Amino acid sequence: MNNNITVCIFAYNESARVLRCIDNFKDLFPIIVIDNDSTDDMRERLTAAGHRYVTIKNPGFIETPDVMDKVEAAIDTDYLLIASVSEFIPLALLQRYANVAKNNTHDVVRAFRVSVTAGEPIPISGQPRKGFPGELRFYKKGAVDYSGNQVHDRGRMVCAPERVLSLVTDESCHFYQFRDYDCARTERTHANYNDVLAKQKYDAGTRFSWLKMIAHSSKQFLNSYVRFGSWRFGMLGFLHSFYRWHMEIGIWLRIWEWENNLSGPGVKEANNTLRTQYEKKLAEEKLVLK
């Protein structure tokens, strides 16, 4: 379809799903898998199937200059499409990407991603309305700046506004994220995100605030459950909204722990201090018994 676009599939330990994802783009664009130093047999499966990959370790999320500069250096095309093994992109959107790259009409194309959980399109980021930014997944090299990004930030466009094409309200160009999340996986994934995001905030000077924790977490829940309409999906929608609240709480509690030296090493140190006191008292009591 177009040889001026490289599909960059980000994956970690995705041996079971990576080839299915590649089929989405096979015979349409050049493809490269960006391997996050996987420990399963994903790289062996890619090699056996004749697919290209490069290993680029990320710090818990991909939207950083250290990662994306290496990705851009690894490809020969002017345009790149960021893809995930959990996603499916319909042909209508791929054709729009191909036309843009062929005619160089835009530097960035933004589209709306529908998040599907257990077969239900539960909204995560809002509705595809006019003015909604959409996902920043397809762009020309150099059109996006990732410096200063935090977890879930999309990056900053550095091209002229007229060089940005928004397809957010075009339903035929929506793409789909299939979130294979149950409670256990959600909690594990959010814990990893929270470790990174809380550290970014703490290093930037953010300090614990009861008011901010309550306000920010409540906003996450109300946006998801009421504003975006997760209430329409019963308990499944409630679970999703609850975990948005829970994730925000986890960020603030980590910041509180670091402020008070009560993260892992601090907890061990406090426990060891008290245990040492008990052990000293026990030694003294043993002497009395002799």
Side-chain angles (χ1 to χ4, degrees):
M1 183 181 288
N2 193 294
N3 288 323
N4 201 24
I5 301 169
T6 298
V7 180
C8 303
I9 301 173
F10 286 79
Y12 173 69
N13 286 354
E14 290 288 358
S15 176
R17 298 195 295 178
V18 68
L19 296 181
R20 185 178 189 180
C21 177
I22 287 173
D23 284 344
N24 193 170
F25 313 103
K26 192 175 180 180
D27 302 323
L28 300 177
F29 309 116
I31 301 166
I32 184 171
V33 174
I34 312 300
D35 163 51
N36 186 30
D37 201 15
S38 296
T39 58
D40 66 358
D41 66 343
M42 184 180 75
R43 286 174 288 201
E44 289 77 9
R45 293 198 68 185
L46 290 170
T47 299
H51 297 301
R52 182 186 174 200
Y53 73 86
V54 61
T55 298
I56 302 175
K57 181 71 174 174
N58 70 61
F61 66 114
I62 67 171
E63 297 89 350
T64 71
D66 286 345
V67 173
M68 296 310 300
D69 287 351
K70 292 175 183 176
V71 171
E72 291 192 15
I75 64 176
D76 299 323
T77 57
D78 291 331
Y79 289 85
L80 66 151
L81 169 58
I82 298 173
S84 166
V85 294
S86 66
E87 295 171 350
F88 174 80
I89 303 180
L91 185 60
L93 180 55
L94 296 176
Q95 288 175 326
R96 295 297 293 270
Y97 290 153
N99 290 337
V100 167
K102 178 181 178 180
N103 300 305
N104 190 29
T105 55
H106 298 87
D107 295 335
V108 172
V109 178
R110 307 194 73 150
F112 184 79
R113 183 177 67 179
V114 178
S115 291
V116 179
T117 303
E120 297 286 357
I122 299 177
I124 289 181
S125 301
Q127 302 292 345
R129 62 187 183 279
K130 185 177 181 181
F132 186 82
E135 299 299 325
L136 187 51
R137 295 299 194 83
F138 177 86
Y139 59 90
K140 196 173 187 179
K141 284 182 179 179
V144 178
D145 179 14
Y146 290 103
S147 59
N149 252 21
Q150 294 187 343
V151 175
H152 294 146
D153 284 352
R154 294 179 173 91
R156 182 173 59 89
M157 296 181 296
V158 293
C159 60
E162 60 269 19
R163 296 286 296 176
V164 179
L165 174 62
S166 175
L167 300 175
V168 169
T169 59
D170 186 344
E171 189 172 348
S172 69
C173 290
H174 292 174
F175 66 107
Y176 302 87
Q177 176 194 30
F178 293 91
R179 302 172 71 251
D180 296 335
Y181 283 17
D182 55 14
C183 290
R185 181 172 180 182
T186 299
E187 290 165 8
R188 290 194 299 268
T189 302
H190 282 188
N192 293 332
Y193 281 145
N194 281 2
D195 288 342
V196 177
L197 188 51
K199 186 67 164 57
Q200 290 177 327
K201 290 181 177 294
Y202 186 79
D203 289 345
T206 299
R207 293 298 179 262
F208 178 78
S209 164
W210 279 103
L211 180 61
K212 289 182 179 179
M213 181 178 72
I214 293 171
H216 290 189
S217 60
S218 297
K219 181 179 179 180
Q220 286 284 352
F221 179 84
L222 291 173
N223 274 344
S224 175
Y225 196 67
V226 179
R227 183 183 174 196
F228 300 154
S230 292
W231 62 269
R232 294 182 289 110
F233 297 92
M235 180 57 78
L236 197 60
F238 174 80
L239 282 174
H240 163 74
S241 301
F242 167 79
Y243 278 118
R244 304 296 289 186
W245 173 88
H246 185 268
M247 182 176 179
E248 187 70 26
I249 290 287
I251 293 169
W252 286 99
L253 293 182
R254 282 165 172 76
I255 292 172
W256 178 86
E257 286 182 335
W258 294 329
E259 280 187 62
N260 292 277
N261 192 29
L262 289 176
S263 59
V267 170
K268 292 178 181 178
E269 181 182 350
N271 283 345
N272 185 60
T273 298
L274 182 58
R275 179 166 181 160
T276 299
Q277 293 174 5
Y278 289 147
E279 290 170 340
K280 182 179 179 181
K281 182 180 179 181
L282 176 62
E284 293 171 348
E285 290 172 340
K286 285 181 177 179
L287 289 174
V288 173
L289 293 175
K290 288 183 178 179

